[in-house]
Every structure is written in structure tokens, then in C-alpha cells.
Amino acid sequence: MFELTAENYYSLEANRHYMSCSQYQDFLECEAWAMAKLQGRWTDEDSKAFLVGKYFHTYFEGPEAHDAFCRANFEKIFKTRETKTGIVVNGKYADFENADKMIAVAMNDPTIKRFVDMPGLNEHILTGEIFGVPWRIRLDKYAPEKRLIIDYKTCANIQETKYNPATGQRETFVETY
């Protein structure tokens, strides 16, 4: 069986061995598109929202994971300019500055901080089978002693509503997710 790791979790090979929530949603949206992705004929570039979400998540995973993510995505996170002495960092792009604000709010909120500091496993991968199909999930935080799963969510505007075709209603981020 394919060994699922943090390094290959989002890979094409992992997608071919395990179903995920994202893949399931792809199939609901368009089966041909989902199959093209599985066959390697279509690749999506990581969206800004995905990158900001990963930035936020890796912060809570730990300094090593966050530093590695920032190094791997340096050009997308940091504003730079070239000088005679080399490249100078001029801060972060607005989306990542906002992510830093979200992190600060979370870390300064006593209720959220209690969950963040709770003993448990960050970015914990689990696999299982549903109706004979192997599935995978990556839990933002898993606290088995408390029988608790924490799922961090970020959004641009928590009060903005969007149309949900399944319900035929406009819904907020909270109602949708």
C-alpha cells in the first residue's frame, strides 16, 4: 500500500491511491475535470487562498514547518527588490500581512489559544475506508485524549454571503463550511 506522508499528501500519486474531500468535491463539480486531474492531464496552480491557508496552518504546525513553507514559497509571500548589494525584502504581500494579523488575533484570543496550546498532534494524517474506497484526511489538530479534532478555517470576509446551489440560498462562510 502507498505510504502517505506530509511530503506526498497533496501529490498526484496520493490522489490516485486515496480519495479526499477535495477530490470528492471535484467529482461533484465535474467528473471529467476530476478524472483529467487524476490522469495528470490537468493541474491546478495553487490559489492565493490555498497558499494563505497553508501559511496560517503551518504557523500552528510549528516553527520548522512554517519556516520551510515560507522558504518554499518565498517569491509568493515576500516583496523584494534587487539592489547593488543583493536582494532586499520589503515586507510581505497584503494577503500574507493579513494572515499574520489572523495569526495574532488567534494567538491573543484566550479561547483559541487554549485549543492551540492543547496537547495533541498537528497536521495529523489518517486513512480509512468508506464503502470499499480508501480515503485520507489531514487533521489540523488531533487531541485524542480529549476526543477532539480542530479544523482551522480562514476566510477573507466572514460576513460575505455566497450562493449555494445545493440549498438554493445565499450563505455565509460559517453556514457553508
Side-chain angles (χ1 to χ4, degrees):
M1 180 50 93
F2 178 74
E3 185 180 347
L4 200 55
T5 66
E7 291 73 33
N8 68 20
Y9 186 86
Y10 295 105
S11 70
L12 179 59
E13 190 173 6
N15 287 344
R16 289 177 176 161
H17 284 88
Y18 294 96
M19 180 65 81
S20 69
C21 182
S22 298
Q23 278 181 284
Y24 180 73
Q25 291 169 338
D26 287 351
F27 275 100
L28 289 177
E29 189 171 333
C30 177
E31 293 174 16
W33 174 54
M35 286 304 299
K37 288 170 77 172
L38 279 174
Q39 294 165 351
R41 295 183 294 116
W42 179 273
T43 55
D44 290 326
E45 190 166 318
D46 292 339
S47 70
K48 181 84 63 152
F50 177 80
L51 289 171
V52 169
K54 288 284 291 172
Y55 179 88
F56 184 89
H57 279 240
T58 60
Y59 180 87
F60 295 105
E61 190 175 350
E64 187 177 303
H66 191 63
D67 290 344
F69 177 81
C70 289
R71 278 193 305 277
N73 295 281
F74 186 88
E75 306 82 26
K76 296 172 184 170
I77 297 170
F78 296 98
K79 297 178 193 175
T80 61
R81 66 180 167 86
E82 200 166 333
T83 67
K84 293 178 183 176
T85 58
I87 295 176
V88 175
V89 175
N90 285 337
K92 296 177 184 170
Y93 288 106
D95 291 321
F96 296 97
E97 286 181 355
N98 285 335
D100 284 337
K101 289 176 187 174
M102 287 188 283
I103 290 166
V105 166
M107 295 305 288
N108 290 314
D109 182 291
T111 302
I112 295 173
K113 183 86 165 88
R114 193 176 88 234
F115 286 111
V116 169
D117 291 343
M118 184 181 292
L121 306 168
N122 292 310
E123 300 298 322
H124 185 62
I125 296 171
L126 291 174
T127 60
E129 201 170 280
I130 301 173
F131 301 116
V133 177
W135 280 74
R136 72 182 188 264
I137 186 170
R138 191 169 181 172
L139 305 173
D140 297 344
K141 181 150 196 167
Y142 177 50
E145 298 80 30
K146 301 268 187 190
R147 298 177 46 92
L148 184 66
I149 295 169
I150 298 169
D151 187 33
Y152 303 123
K153 291 292 182 202
T154 61
C155 65
N157 181 345
I158 200 164
Q159 295 171 338
E160 178 183 4
T161 61
K162 294 193 178 181
Y163 180 74
N164 181 340
T167 64
Q169 303 290 319
R170 292 193 68 78
E171 297 177 345
T172 66
F173 176 86
V174 173
E175 292 165 324
T176 301
Y177 293 100

